[in-house]
Amino acid sequence: MVDPIVGTKHLTKVLMDGGIGLNIMYTETLNAMGTDWSCVRPTGAPFHGIVLGKQAVPLGQINLPVTFGDPTNYGTETLTFDVVGFHGTYHAILGRPFYVKFMVVPNYTYLKFKMPGP
């Protein structure tokens, strides 16, 4: 789990999952962030593997800025999240698009990831 700043809010329970090909944001999280729902674009592309044995259809997609790091070494990128209407344990899930955009290398042994410096 990581704790990035998404939009203007500091999220404390975000799962990094290098096996999933999309970034997921839950409606509960968007509502708690006070996000304007007019920013959510409709999409009809279903995905599999999140809800066990079922196909899930997102409510839409939203682009949000995501910031990782500390004041001496940080990175901010805009990520596309698929918004889902079911309940999750985490605030969001970051998949392979996150790894590519931030150019990070995860180390699951130490629960850390490396990202390029300044």
Side-chain angles (χ1 to χ4, degrees):
M1 282 190 350
V2 292
D3 56 345
I5 297 172
V6 179
T8 59
K9 300 293 182 182
H10 184 210
L11 302 183
T12 56
K13 294 181 356 181
V14 177
L15 178 68
M16 291 174 43
D17 186 354
I20 188 172
L22 53 116
N23 301 313
I24 294 176
M25 180 73 65
Y26 298 97
T27 55
E28 295 171 349
T29 304
L30 280 181
N31 291 334
M33 291 171 56
T35 304
D36 181 14
W37 278 86
S38 66
C39 298
V40 177
R41 300 180 310 278
T43 182
F47 55 87
H48 303 280
I50 302 299
V51 180
L52 189 60
K54 294 187 177 184
Q55 172 179 298
V57 179
L59 302 174
Q61 291 183 329
I62 188 168
N63 293 335
L64 294 170
V66 178
T67 303
F68 276 98
D70 58 39
T72 61
N73 182 24
Y74 68 92
T76 301
E77 297 287 343
T78 301
L79 294 178
T80 300
F81 289 90
D82 284 290
V83 180
V84 295
F86 48 85
H87 178 71
T89 306
Y90 304 99
H91 294 135
I93 299 175
L94 297 174
R96 286 190 307 267
F98 154 75
Y99 288 87
V100 171
K101 194 84 159 192
F102 277 89
M103 296 186 294
V104 298
V105 177
N107 185 320
Y108 294 105
T109 306
Y110 297 106
L111 297 176
K112 302 273 186 188
F113 64 87
K114 289 184 175 183
M115 62 186 252

